[in-house]
Amino acid sequence: MKFNLFTKAHNTAPQIPNFQGAPAYTLSPEMELYTAEVTWSLNDSFYEKDENRLLRLRQLMVKCNPAFVGKLAVYARTKMYMRSAPLVLVAELARIHRGDDLVARVTDKVINRADEITELLACYTQLNERKGPKKLNRLSKQLQKGLSAAFNKFDEYQFAKYNRPADIKLRDALFLVHPKAKDELQQLLFNKIAADTLQTPYTWETELSALGRLNFDSDEAKSAAFKAKWEELIDSKQLGYMATLRNLRNMQQAGVSYNHIYKVCAFLSSPVQVAKAKQFPFRFLSAYREMLNTETRSVVHSMLQKVSNALFATHNQGYTGEILQALEQAVQASAANIKGFDDNTRVLLACDVSGSMQKPVSANSKVLLYDIGLMLAMLLQSRCKNMQVGMFGDTWKTIAVPRHNILDNVQTFYRREGEVGYATNGYLVVKDLINRRIVMDKVMLFTDCQLWNNTIGGESIQALWAQYKTRVAPGAKLYLFDLQGYGQAPLQVMPNQVYLLAGWSDKIFEVLDALGRGGSAITEVNKIEL
């Protein structure tokens, strides 16, 4: 979350230059707003500062129907698993829209976690440049109404879990919004928020924090206590999916038993739990890499600790394979519902590994933009029987990988990305198909859409795609998976069966399925009920 900090379509537009000066095409305001929203982590991207994207979103919003903007906010939160970007749309919608209850309905549907109440208020004050003790005065009435409804969604545990020191606290929001309790028990809960007497929640953070404040007679006693606490947390089933992903190495280093590792693996790999967790695919990749690096890091850490600190000894490192397999099964479960690929569908997947794709998705993340492209491509590859997959930079190269080793395949590409250089010569993908007269049904590019030709020849992917359709594969379709949302496309969208979709979630494949049925990303957004 980015705001509430403790401060102690169819495109017939003319060509425009992209950020590299190569020919590109504008999108409709709705399509551009969609791509910008679902690929925004509220951090600077390679070509665009964070404040510039905000300005662009503001300009696009006034060009779009307010109901579409509201539906996009809900879509981004509930379908694409975005957290902060939907709050920006809600806050901006509250600033520019009046006359009905649209903002209230959107607010209620976007808030899915208790802390999003205060996050939205913090976002609202920042975007409206309000400061000081009266920064929450004159709150939008419809925003207030939506927040009031949201207060009745959560129980004491959910409120207490996120009742943390911040500029805007839960009790501040309560006094501002004055929610009407749905029943007597809810009113008692509101009274606890007002009095700041919520019961301390049982979470891994609170339990380990309390344990860390204790004095132990020895490192061995401390190690045993942390081992027992992790096992208790696992047995309690109160350890959430994201918390489990983030703490796999900590559990392993604490020396939890094989029985508990087994429980963790069963939890992670359960298709039901994967569906409930609503994690970005790259979260699994992050956990996978942490486990792959455990042994090396543990050796270095042990040397630094002179092997005397038993707390960080890796007692059950032999279970790493079990955990890696569970993560692989989990990510495969997230790909299980991908549709539209039978035995005869010929597919080419091309991943952009250029320099502009090698920027972290957020300031605190180790995941790069091209990691997201690789993950989505490998998810799709696992569902295709007749496919080729490769990567492009200065050159284009196909790489053979097994179908079902999704995370390991990403690592294979990750290790080899330097083999093709760091330009964005995506045109080579289509040129190769023409030269070899390879017939494909679907050609898919995972890219930030800033393609250009760094050679003297000047061939463009737009012209080459038209040639490919004429000379080789009249029925072929080209899909641009836009991973950064700069608002431009290297080909005209819709003519010559060129399609654009955007996002970092596996739900992007629902849009892909909709395209196969004659729909679009915009029709999927418009299906949202407010």
Side-chain angles (χ1 to χ4, degrees):
M1 303 300 284
K2 305 292 180 180
F3 308 106
N4 196 22
L5 305 179
F6 182 35
T7 56
K8 206 171 173 180
H10 182 83
N11 179 27
T12 57
Q15 287 185 359
I16 59 170
N18 66 14
F19 287 102
Q20 289 286 352
Y25 298 85
T26 58
L27 306 173
S28 70
E30 292 80 9
M31 195 67 180
E32 183 177 350
L33 184 62
Y34 152 75
T35 61
E37 171 71 7
V38 300
T39 58
W40 191 23
S41 63
L42 275 65
N43 287 274
D44 293 345
S45 56
F46 191 87
Y47 292 113
E48 186 177 45
K49 293 291 186 181
D50 189 47
E51 58 267 27
N52 292 337
R53 177 157 297 202
L54 174 59
L55 176 61
R56 185 157 63 90
L57 257 70
R58 284 174 162 166
Q59 294 169 341
L60 289 167
M61 284 178 66
V62 299
K63 297 178 182 179
C64 298
N65 186 295
F68 173 80
V69 176
K71 289 182 176 185
L72 178 59
V74 177
Y75 177 84
R77 180 67 187 96
T78 61
K79 293 292 187 180
M80 289 297 185
Y81 313 150
M82 308 297 289
R83 292 290 311 283
S84 299
L87 300 182
V88 175
L89 283 189
V90 174
E92 284 296 300
L93 192 63
R95 186 174 63 86
I96 65 176
H97 185 71
R98 300 287 188 277
D100 56 31
D101 65 348
L102 174 65
V103 172
R105 288 182 281 127
V106 171
T107 300
D108 184 30
K109 288 185 176 291
V110 165
I111 292 177
N112 284 261
R113 251 177 42 170
D115 62 328
E116 289 170 347
I117 294 174
T118 52
E119 277 292 313
L120 179 54
L121 288 170
C123 176
Y124 184 81
T125 61
Q126 287 188 29
L127 294 180
N128 288 279
E129 298 182 348
R130 296 185 179 183
K131 300 178 181 179
K134 296 184 179 181
K135 61 187 175 184
L136 290 174
N137 285 3
R138 303 186 312 280
L139 184 68
S140 159
K141 294 299 182 183
Q142 289 301 315
L143 187 64
Q144 183 175 342
K145 183 179 177 182
L147 288 168
S148 178
F151 257 100
N152 282 291
K153 290 182 176 182
F154 309 109
D155 58 24
E156 182 169 5
Y157 176 85
Q158 292 167 311
F159 278 122
K161 184 177 179 181
Y162 299 109
N163 189 30
R164 299 164 178 167
D167 281 349
I168 300 173
K169 301 178 179 63
L170 271 174
R171 68 192 305 269
D172 299 329
L174 184 79
F175 294 150
L176 175 69
V177 173
H178 300 294
K180 183 178 179 180
K182 60 186 178 182
D183 53 36
E184 185 176 342
L185 287 177
Q186 193 75 15
Q187 185 59 56
L188 291 174
L189 175 55
F190 291 169
N191 293 343
K192 283 188 173 183
I193 295 174
D196 201 18
T197 57
L198 290 170
Q199 183 177 351
T200 301
Y202 181 88
T203 67
W204 69 273
E205 295 105 325
T206 59
E207 291 296 299
L208 292 180
S209 178
L211 193 61
R213 291 192 293 268
L214 300 179
N215 293 319
F216 293 92
D217 294 334
S218 65
D219 286 338
E220 289 77 10
K222 188 175 184 180
S223 178
F226 273 85
K227 174 181 180 293
K229 179 56 67 175
W230 275 117
E231 292 181 345
E232 175 193 312
L233 287 164
I234 294 167
D235 289 335
S236 74
K237 298 184 179 180
Q238 292 296 309
L239 197 61
Y241 201 95
M242 171 64 96
T244 303
L245 277 178
R246 287 180 169 177
N247 284 289
L248 290 171
R249 185 163 60 93
N250 292 332
M251 289 182 239
Q252 190 183 50
Q253 288 182 327
V256 302
S257 70
Y258 174 74
N259 181 52
H260 289 88
I261 292 289
Y262 178 82
K263 289 180 180 180
V264 166
C265 291
F267 176 61
L268 288 177
S269 60
S270 165
V272 173
Q273 296 300 331
V274 171
K276 286 181 179 179
K278 299 180 180 179
Q279 296 295 312
F280 284 125
F282 67 76
R283 302 289 189 201
F284 297 102
L285 179 62
S286 295
Y288 190 82
R289 286 176 174 169
E290 283 292 312
M291 295 311 302
L292 287 178
N293 294 333
T294 293
E295 183 172 358
T296 301
R297 253 198 318 267
S298 296
V299 170
V300 173
H301 194 82
S302 295
M303 291 173 62
L304 293 174
Q305 297 291 325
K306 298 179 180 179
V307 199
S308 62
N309 189 347
L311 174 62
F312 294 100
T314 52
H315 301 296
N316 57 11
Q317 206 161 310
Y319 303 147
T320 300
E322 292 273 354
I323 298 173
L324 293 175
Q325 181 61 28
L327 291 170
E328 188 68 65
Q329 290 170 346
V331 80
Q332 287 175 15
S334 71
N337 293 322
I338 296 176
K339 303 174 184 176
F341 300 89
D342 59 28
D343 296 356
N344 299 317
T345 303
R346 295 159 295 191
V347 182
L348 178 65
L349 308 175
C351 299
D352 181 351
V353 294
S354 63
S356 62
M357 293 285 288
Q358 304 207 22
K359 185 174 178 63
V361 296
S362 68
N364 298 320
S365 177
K366 297 178 182 178
V367 175
L368 305 179
L369 193 61
Y370 82 76
D371 286 327
I372 295 176
L374 293 174
M375 271 299 303
L376 294 175
M378 292 303 105
L379 283 168
L380 193 56
Q381 185 257 3
S382 73
R383 307 300 297 172
C384 301
K385 296 182 175 64
N386 188 356
M387 60 81 207
Q388 292 184 31
V389 59
M391 56 188 177
F392 64 89
D394 291 278
T395 59
W396 155 245
K397 172 182 285 189
T398 57
I399 298 175
V401 289
R403 276 188 57 212
H404 295 300
N405 297 339
I406 297 172
L407 294 169
D408 189 56
N409 287 346
V410 172
Q411 290 298 95
T412 296
F413 272 76
Y414 187 81
R415 289 189 295 266
R416 298 184 60 178
E417 45 84 21
E419 296 177 12
V420 296
Y422 301 102
T424 52
N425 291 329
Y427 78 94
L428 292 174
V429 177
V430 181
K431 185 175 182 179
D432 181 53
L433 293 175
I434 294 172
N435 290 342
R436 295 193 293 136
R437 302 194 65 79
I438 301 295
V439 176
M440 288 289 173
D441 298 306
K442 298 179 180 182
V443 178
M444 301 184 173
L445 273 63
F446 298 82
T447 175
D448 63 0
C449 288
Q450 297 302 298
L451 305 184
W452 66 299
N453 185 341
N454 72 341
T455 66
I456 298 175
E459 294 174 295
S460 72
I461 191 170
Q462 168 80 14
L464 286 168
W465 180 251
Q467 292 178 32
Y468 180 67
K469 293 275 290 180
T470 300
R471 300 178 186 177
V472 182
K477 299 177 181 180
L478 185 134
Y479 299 85
L480 296 166
F481 286 75
D482 186 351
L483 304 178
Q484 195 59 87
Y486 290 122
Q488 309 157 347
L491 299 92
Q492 278 199 351
V493 177
M494 296 305 288
N496 272 335
Q497 294 181 293
V498 176
Y499 305 96
L500 181 69
L501 55 166
W504 300 343
S505 163
D506 56 304
K507 292 297 182 181
I508 197 172
F509 299 121
E510 291 185 1
V511 179
L512 180 62
D513 182 51
L515 290 171
R517 293 180 281 104
S520 69
I522 304 306
T523 61
E524 290 301 291
V525 172
N526 279 322
K527 288 180 181 179
I528 294 294
E529 295 184 3
L530 296 177

